[in-house]
Amino acid sequence: MEQLFDLLEHGVSASHAVSYLKKNLLEDGFCELSLQDVWKLEPNGKYYINLYDSICMVFKIGSVKGAQPAFRIAMAHSDYPGLQLKPEPLVKGKNVVRFNVEVYGGMYQKSWLDRPLGVAGKVVVKGESAFSPNVLLYDSKRPLCIIPSLAIHMDRELNKKGALDTAKEFVPVAALNENADLLGEVARSLQIAKDEILDYDLYLYNMDKPVVVGLDKTMVSSPRLDNLTSVGAILAGMKETTVPENVVDMMVVFDNEEVGSRSKQGADSELLSMVVQRIGKALAGDAFAVSNVLEKSFLLSVDVAHAHHPNYEEKSDVTNKAYLGKGFCIKRSVGQKYGTSSESAAVLKDICVKNGIPYTIAVNKTGIPGGSTLGPIATSYLPMPCADVGIPILSMHSACELGALEDYYALKKLVNAFYEEV
């Protein structure tokens, strides 16, 4: 649990989460690869690919010698709903400076009000050439702004109102000094000249720390449970497990899931299938073909699920309730929002029975459509068996979310068993 809490604290942006992963992988003996190089992969080798700053592809090889290896791929996403700073980020008014932001993903807006907010992300500066800029990670590590709500005295109907006017009510206040300079602050922190900054992807983040909650100390409250709980469980699996013979275990962390995955660093691209092809050919030569390994491979799409809410019983399915503390969820959707089929669900159930892993089935109530995941997107490029899983949480897409410690332990056990299953 210590590593999960560490990841939740450090993963204040997608790029920071991936930076944390790479640091952990290097310390655990994984070797860095580049897509530009010729790969010479060794049996029992451990590798990760240095790619775009907010995604990570990691793999371990069993004793593969000229065979067509099976792939066990577990994937998650690094991004989360929040607020992104726009270009020209300062809105200056009389006696106040505010940040010009836009909403990233489907966030619950009111949960972000009246919270001290930090700023983090990547800053792009001049490099050796125009086509090779340098990327630096920035984290303010202190609150730089806040979105103050209107006092209830000034609008007695506030508690009855719905969505905020994002252009008016959802603008962070950053300073009472009209000469305040965000990029100047960023440059000072990074120890560079302000004019070196060419562009940036900077986001506001909730500075709350993860905490254990409850009389029985069974719950965890934290920002970014969606989806760093999944990233943490897969990372633990990559570090703790032994790869079976003639198998390649993979960890894939994509970006931009919260806005549709349609980007070069998102799941809705050919990137994963390209990397699988590269690995296969490096191990088995030109005889390798992805089509030969699809049926014996498996893709695990790991993302949080909606827990049964005790205050809103009517929002859950009649017979399939994902209670907190009862294990991870196998997610099903008749509309193919998830990648789970009856066959792939059976695979996971068999693994769970053999290893004593608790689980529940997560199905949305009829008439309440859920969001989609990486599973159906990735399998449209790599049509292998797939299942969607994740821990159930409450307050999904809020500034602070709630989960159960036992469910995270169950998810870790599943990922470990998935990687080691023969």
Side-chain angles (χ1 to χ4, degrees), residues 224-410:
R224 303 176 288 278
L225 293 183
D226 178 7
N227 191 31
L228 293 187
T229 52
S230 303
V231 174
I234 301 172
L235 175 63
M238 289 302 292
K239 294 171 66 174
E240 296 171 4
T241 56
T242 301
V243 188
E245 183 179 355
N246 205 30
V247 169
V248 176
D249 284 342
M250 289 189 70
M251 170 184 185
V252 181
V253 179
F254 284 113
D255 191 8
N256 297 144
E257 190 274 346
E258 299 292 359
V259 290
S261 296
R262 188 73 172 170
S263 67
K264 68 182 186 304
Q265 62 268 24
D268 197 1
S269 75
E270 295 183 1
L271 185 59
L272 177 56
S273 56
M274 287 168 50
V275 170
V276 168
Q277 184 81 10
R278 283 286 300 271
I279 295 170
K281 291 208 168 188
L283 293 174
D286 291 337
F288 176 82
V290 171
S291 58
N292 291 338
V293 302
L294 288 177
E295 290 187 5
K296 62 180 180 179
S297 298
F298 202 99
L299 198 156
L300 198 64
S301 172
V302 193
D303 202 346
V304 294
H306 291 289
H308 174 67
H309 200 308
N311 297 343
Y312 298 92
E313 297 268 351
E314 73 280 3
K315 296 296 183 181
S316 293
D317 184 66
V318 177
T319 58
N320 299 281
K321 292 178 172 61
Y323 291 102
L324 287 179
K326 298 299 182 182
F328 79 92
C329 294
I330 300 174
K331 301 162 69 173
R332 299 295 302 269
S333 167
V334 69
Q336 302 301 301
K337 296 284 189 178
Y338 309 136
T340 312
S341 65
S342 55
E343 293 88 351
S344 64
V347 170
L348 297 188
K349 290 177 181 180
D350 191 22
I351 290 174
C352 289
V353 170
K354 283 195 287 187
N355 293 276
I357 304 170
Y359 69 90
T360 57
I361 305 297
V363 181
N364 289 322
K365 181 181 178 181
T366 303
I368 302 180
S372 187
T373 65
L374 299 175
I377 297 172
T379 51
S380 67
Y381 295 93
L382 271 176
M384 61 178 60
C386 172
D388 264 281
V389 300
I391 71 165
I393 67 170
L394 294 173
S395 307
M396 189 186 296
H397 287 196
S398 177
C400 211
E401 299 163 324
L402 184 69
L405 298 175
E406 286 300 321
D407 298 338
Y408 179 71
Y409 292 137

Side-chain angles (χ1 to χ4, degrees), residues 63-317:
S63 54
V64 179
K65 296 181 180 179
Q68 302 273 2
F71 286 79
R72 302 281 184 265
I73 305 172
M75 62 181 183
H77 63 87
S78 58
D79 61 324
Y80 63 94
L83 292 167
Q84 183 174 13
L85 285 164
K86 291 183 179 180
E88 298 297 330
L90 301 185
V91 180
K92 296 186 177 183
K94 187 174 182 180
N95 196 48
V96 69
V97 173
R98 297 178 295 163
F99 284 156
N100 188 12
V101 297
E102 58 184 322
V103 174
Y104 177 92
M107 66 188 298
Y108 174 45
Q109 296 170 355
K110 288 185 178 179
S111 69
W112 284 72
L113 298 177
D114 304 320
R115 293 179 183 267
L117 303 174
V119 175
K122 62 182 181 181
V123 176
V124 186
V125 301
K126 296 176 182 178
E128 293 182 0
S129 70
F131 287 103
S132 301
N134 292 325
V135 176
L136 305 174
L137 290 187
Y138 171 74
D139 180 1
S140 66
K141 296 187 182 298
R142 68 181 183 89
L144 294 188
C145 62
I146 193 166
I147 308 172
S149 61
L150 184 65
I152 190 70
H153 312 74
M154 298 180 181
D155 187 347
R156 299 289 179 175
E157 300 298 310
L158 275 177
N159 287 329
K160 300 178 183 179
K161 291 184 177 179
L164 299 172
D165 181 343
T166 55
K168 174 181 174 60
E169 301 174 278
F170 212 48
V171 184
V173 173
L176 302 181
N177 178 357
E178 295 178 31
N179 296 319
D181 182 5
L182 173 63
L183 295 186
E185 172 72 19
V186 171
R188 283 190 295 274
S189 176
L190 296 175
Q191 298 182 327
I192 60 175
K194 180 180 173 180
D195 62 6
E196 290 184 69
I197 298 175
L198 298 174
D199 215 320
Y200 54 83
D201 285 314
L202 293 174
Y203 302 83
L204 309 189
Y205 70 91
N206 177 13
M207 301 195 73
D208 288 350
K209 307 294 185 185
V211 292
V212 174
V213 176
L215 289 172
D216 51 1
K217 300 180 181 178
T218 54
M219 296 174 287
V220 56
S221 173
S222 176
R224 303 176 288 278
L225 293 183
D226 178 7
N227 191 31
L228 293 187
T229 52
S230 303
V231 174
I234 301 172
L235 175 63
M238 289 302 292
K239 294 171 66 174
E240 296 171 4
T241 56
T242 301
V243 188
E245 183 179 355
N246 205 30
V247 169
V248 176
D249 284 342
M250 289 189 70
M251 170 184 185
V252 181
V253 179
F254 284 113
D255 191 8
N256 297 144
E257 190 274 346
E258 299 292 359
V259 290
S261 296
R262 188 73 172 170
S263 67
K264 68 182 186 304
Q265 62 268 24
D268 197 1
S269 75
E270 295 183 1
L271 185 59
L272 177 56
S273 56
M274 287 168 50
V275 170
V276 168
Q277 184 81 10
R278 283 286 300 271
I279 295 170
K281 291 208 168 188
L283 293 174
D286 291 337
F288 176 82
V290 171
S291 58
N292 291 338
V293 302
L294 288 177
E295 290 187 5
K296 62 180 180 179
S297 298
F298 202 99
L299 198 156
L300 198 64
S301 172
V302 193
D303 202 346
V304 294
H306 291 289
H308 174 67
H309 200 308
N311 297 343
Y312 298 92
E313 297 268 351
E314 73 280 3
K315 296 296 183 181
S316 293
D317 184 66

